Amino acid sequence: MEKLLILDFGSQYTQLIARRVRELNVYCEIHPYDKLSNLDVDSFMGVILSGSPFSVRDENSPKPDLASIKGKKPLLGVCFGAQYMADVYGGSVLPSKIREYGRANLSYVNKENILTKGMSDNSQVWMSHGDTIKDAPAGVEIIASTTDVEVAGFHFKGEETYGIQFHPEVYHSKEGSILLKNFVVGICGFSQDWTPDSFVESTVDELKSKIGNDKVVLGLSGGVDSTVAAILLHKAIGENLYCIFVDNGLLRKDEFTSVLEQYEHLGLNVKGVNAKDKFYTALAGISEPEAKRKAIGKTFIDVFDEEAHLISDVKWLAQGTIYPDVIESISVNGGASQTIKSHHNVGGLPDYMKLQIVEPLKLLFKDEVRRVGRAMGLKESLLGRHPFPGPGLAIRILGDITLEKVQILQEVDHIFIKGLKEANLYDDVWQAGAMLLPVQSVGVMGDERTYEKAVALRAVESTDGMTADWCHLPYEFLAKTSNEIINRVKGVNRVVYDISSKPPATIEWE
């Protein structure tokens, strides 16, 4: 299979490079820079070096040996990647007199060079750097400049090695997609045949080869990710897939019953397990967010282990893990990027659980998962369902978890989601939910003073959950929803709307 290597130096934009490449129907993989020596470089048709939070002048900055790549494979350095090549191969990188961050315009573009061919004069690009390339290495031609940065793009003559100071993967680089296509298709020679259909075919073949006649147990959540993973596995191993849908007591109102009914129509072998009491016991008295996530994750594994023992000869545990889960849970290069929060379905299994993990979606973003589901014929009503966190309502209840709090939040959430659907707003929102806050506020109902709970409504627009912006829901809708929640949900007397974006906030509150 044709594939592109993205060498990650810890940039916040690395995953965005991958998404932009995949939008060109080209398969790519992200690997940490310090694992380069472990990779079969010959299996990749080209390499992109990412940006980084480091400066090339930092003593502890990444310093990979590019001898196996430069001059032998098409190579594109982005921001730090470009500066690193300039520094290593005889140029000089110094602190910028004026730190360039944000929108800039190219004052010069070499339209004859294959990398920048088709780009416009004065093309808007996105800069994010505190250093600048003062002197380009010998044998380099400058192919792009801005008013403040002469070496905004360069090419090592006689080889397919390029560097750019700006970020073509970011939306604000208006013609970034042209540059990336020039590199990926024009220079690397990719055939652009990595499509949802091809992913299904290759993944099913890989699963057949990997699993053989073994039995697999899969934890279903009712969401898009686990459902698409289940259908892929079902195509590969059929009746050897055993699906378990666990009621952890933290689902939405009536979700356990409705999800089981949904799966009846997909031909999957599904067993519903009521494990509410186990989860409530595990969460008793725990308020810290990470502690709650870990308690839920451990309990999930315990439940799966118990259920797996009821099925003879199960050897695999399948999970609907997707790429953003992995990115946020594990520092991809051992330090250059930051761990945000753990996910209950990411990481290794305890020694006592003798199951291997299979994660058919772990390199896909959410929008890619939906496209794969669509290619397999899944209904739009299922594919368009909002993401729901694995730990469920536990991370939407700030503080400790009790049955009373869960029931209150279930009712609030039900009114909010039902209202979005009735107002034809549901499909305009990527994810929505309600948070039960650990505060009480004074209110008045009739002639009586109340002192009850406050809830926050959250609705965001996003593509894959890596970044998100709050939805500008109509005031009339918010007013109606607030009024209905306060009138119908006993114990709530105040509703607020969260207008934070990610970053700096996360989508969930915990």
Side-chain angles (χ1 to χ4, degrees):
M1 180 175 66
E2 295 181 349
K3 57 183 180 178
L4 177 85
L5 169 62
I6 300 174
L7 209 58
D8 182 26
F9 294 107
S11 169
Q12 61 177 318
Y13 297 137
T14 302
Q15 293 76 33
L16 196 51
I17 297 175
R19 289 197 59 250
R20 294 292 178 256
V21 170
R22 291 183 184 186
E23 287 171 0
L24 295 169
N25 292 331
V26 170
Y27 177 71
C28 59
E29 294 179 358
I30 297 174
H31 290 279
Y33 74 90
D34 57 357
K35 299 296 189 293
L36 177 59
S37 61
N38 299 333
L39 299 176
D40 177 12
V41 174
D42 288 339
S43 68
F44 296 95
M45 291 175 57
V47 181
I48 294 179
L49 308 179
S50 83
S52 176
F54 287 97
S55 163
V56 295
R57 298 174 297 103
D58 292 343
E59 182 179 347
N60 297 320
S61 66
K63 295 179 175 63
D65 182 357
L66 300 178
S68 63
I69 302 173
K70 185 177 179 294
K72 301 173 183 177
K73 295 279 181 181
L75 176 61
L76 173 64
V78 176
C79 197
F80 175 91
Q83 293 176 353
Y84 178 70
M85 287 195 294
D87 183 63
V88 169
Y89 296 111
S92 62
V93 178
L94 299 175
S96 301
K97 293 181 180 178
I98 301 175
R99 185 175 185 272
E100 249 194 347
Y101 182 85
R103 294 175 181 84
N105 291 91
L106 297 180
S107 58
Y108 163 70
V109 177
N110 182 345
K111 297 179 182 179
E112 300 301 316
N113 190 278
I114 190 169
L115 184 70
T116 46
K117 183 179 180 180
M119 295 183 69
S120 308
D121 293 325
N122 206 38
S123 180
Q124 178 180 294
V125 295
W126 183 263
M127 296 285 193
S128 179
H129 58 94
D131 292 337
T132 193
I133 300 170
K134 182 178 183 296
D135 300 304
V140 159
E141 62 173 325
I142 297 173
I143 59 175
S145 304
T146 70
T147 303
D148 297 318
V149 178
E150 181 185 4
V151 190
F154 61 83
H155 171 217
F156 280 84
K157 295 178 181 179
E159 58 185 80
E160 296 174 323
T161 302
Y162 303 83
I164 50 174
Q165 185 62 81
F166 53 93
H167 289 269
E169 71 276 18
V170 175
Y171 169 77
H172 300 293
S173 289
K174 296 298 185 181
E175 296 180 331
S177 59
I178 295 175
L179 185 146
L180 286 174
K181 185 175 182 179
N182 286 344
F183 178 72
V184 172
V185 181
I187 297 172
C188 297
F190 281 92
S191 56
Q192 296 182 278
D193 60 358
W194 191 70
T195 63
D197 287 314
S198 69
F199 175 83
V200 171
E201 183 179 349
S202 62
T203 302
V204 169
D205 288 344
E206 181 183 336
L207 290 170
K208 285 179 179 178
S209 175
K210 184 176 185 176
I211 297 170
N213 293 319
D214 293 347
K215 292 180 180 178
V216 179
V217 61
L218 166 67
L220 287 171
S221 69
V224 176
D225 304 334
S226 65
T227 302
V228 172
I231 298 299
L232 280 169
L233 283 158
H234 184 68
K235 283 179 174 289
I237 63 174
E239 294 181 354
N240 279 349
L241 173 65
Y242 294 80
C243 300
I244 297 171
F245 179 44
V246 177
D247 185 356
N248 58 9
L250 303 165
L251 303 174
R252 285 174 162 150
K253 183 180 180 181
D254 300 327
E255 188 166 29
F256 186 60
T257 302
S258 64
V259 168
L260 285 177
E261 291 175 353
Q262 167 187 290
Y263 284 128
E264 286 180 3
H265 304 293
L266 295 177
L268 298 174
N269 175 22
V270 183
K271 177 182 179 182
V273 178
N274 185 341
K276 292 180 184 178
D277 292 341
K278 291 183 179 179
F279 282 89
Y280 285 142
T281 298
L283 287 166
I286 298 177
S287 297
E288 202 276 324
E290 273 296 289
K292 285 197 286 189
R293 286 177 176 271
K294 292 184 185 304
I296 291 168
K298 181 181 183 304
T299 307
F300 261 114
I301 293 214
D302 290 343
V303 172
F304 284 138
D305 185 48
E306 184 177 322
E307 291 298 323
H309 276 94
L310 301 178
I311 308 167
S312 61
D313 300 324
V314 172
K315 295 183 179 179
W316 298 84
L317 171 65
Q319 298 185 142
T321 310
I322 64 172
Y323 208 22
D325 298 337
V326 177
I327 293 163
E328 290 192 337
S329 295
I330 301 169
S331 181
V332 294
N333 62 2
S337 61
Q338 304 256 326
T339 297
I340 307 299
K341 58 191 176 186
S342 66
H343 288 257
H344 76 276
N345 59 339
V346 176
L349 295 172
D351 291 338
Y352 68 79
M353 192 173 183
K354 308 301 181 183
L355 295 179
Q356 301 176 74
I357 286 183
V358 57
E359 297 169 312
L361 306 176
K362 73 175 183 178
L363 292 179
L364 295 187
F365 293 95
K366 176 70 75 173
D367 55 324
E368 294 174 325
V369 174
R370 288 196 170 105
R371 288 201 293 269
V372 167
R374 197 168 288 117
M376 294 191 296
L378 292 180
K379 293 181 179 179
E380 288 298 326
S381 59
L382 191 154
L383 295 174
R385 189 180 180 207
H386 290 179
F388 187 66
L393 298 180
I395 59 169
R396 293 182 176 179
I397 297 172
L398 278 64
D400 66 328
I401 307 300
T402 66
L403 177 59
E404 178 192 11
K405 291 179 180 179
V406 171
Q407 290 174 336
I408 288 175
L409 190 55
Q410 283 176 332
E411 293 298 329
V412 172
D413 176 86
H414 178 70
I415 291 171
F416 185 29
I417 300 301
K418 182 170 177 284
L420 286 170
K421 292 178 178 178
E422 290 176 346
N424 294 319
L425 294 168
Y426 186 83
D427 291 337
D428 296 332
V429 175
W430 191 78
Q431 184 171 350
M435 318 295 160
L436 185 64
L437 308 184
V439 296
Q440 290 180 288
S441 66
V442 173
V444 177
M445 289 188 179
D447 293 326
E448 295 185 3
R449 174 187 183 275
T450 62
Y451 191 57
E452 296 179 330
K453 299 184 183 300
V455 296
L457 304 183
R458 179 85 158 130
V460 299
E461 299 172 338
S462 183
T463 301
D464 53 32
M466 296 300 299
T467 60
D469 198 8
W470 61 280
C471 289
H472 294 237
L473 297 178
Y475 290 149
E476 295 79 9
F477 169 78
L478 291 173
K480 179 182 178 183
T481 303
S482 173
N483 187 61
E484 190 170 352
I485 289 170
I486 291 171
N487 285 335
R488 294 193 179 189
V489 183
K490 186 177 180 181
V492 175
N493 71 352
R494 189 175 299 273
V495 176
V496 299
Y497 187 54
D498 183 351
I499 59 170
S500 308
S501 296
K502 176 186 180 180
T506 54
I507 295 175
E508 301 296 340
W509 280 39
E510 289 193 343

